[in-house]
Amino acid sequence: MPNLARSMILNGVNRLWVADIKFVHPAEEFAFLAVVLDAFSRKVVGWAFDTISEQALAIEACVVHM
């Protein structure tokens, strides 16, 4: 899949958000951390933590912490 954001020129906040889901292993069980960052300011826009890894986790990171 091509990176459509590669050619973008970022000139302000809230123009492009990027998300990533990381696998973490706390003490008792496996879990996933979804983080959404503003690509211009590099600040965290939102995050979500759960034991399931689905697209909904990244969407929750956007919605819940705005």
Side-chain angles (χ1 to χ4, degrees):
M1 176 175 276
N3 182 351
L4 301 176
R6 177 168 284 169
S7 63
M8 288 183 69
I9 298 172
L10 302 176
N11 57 5
V13 296
N14 294 325
R15 304 283 179 157
L16 176 66
W17 288 357
V18 294
D20 195 11
I21 297 177
K22 295 292 184 186
F23 171 79
V24 294
H25 190 301
E28 295 184 14
E29 62 183 318
F30 299 107
F32 299 90
L33 174 65
V35 179
V36 179
L37 300 171
D38 179 89
F40 180 79
S41 67
R42 306 273 185 188
K43 292 187 179 183
V44 174
V45 174
W47 60 271
F49 188 76
D50 205 337
T51 56
I52 58 167
S53 174
E54 296 181 356
Q55 290 176 332
L57 190 62
I59 293 169
E60 181 182 341
C62 290
V63 175
V64 172
H65 299 283
M66 287 180 57

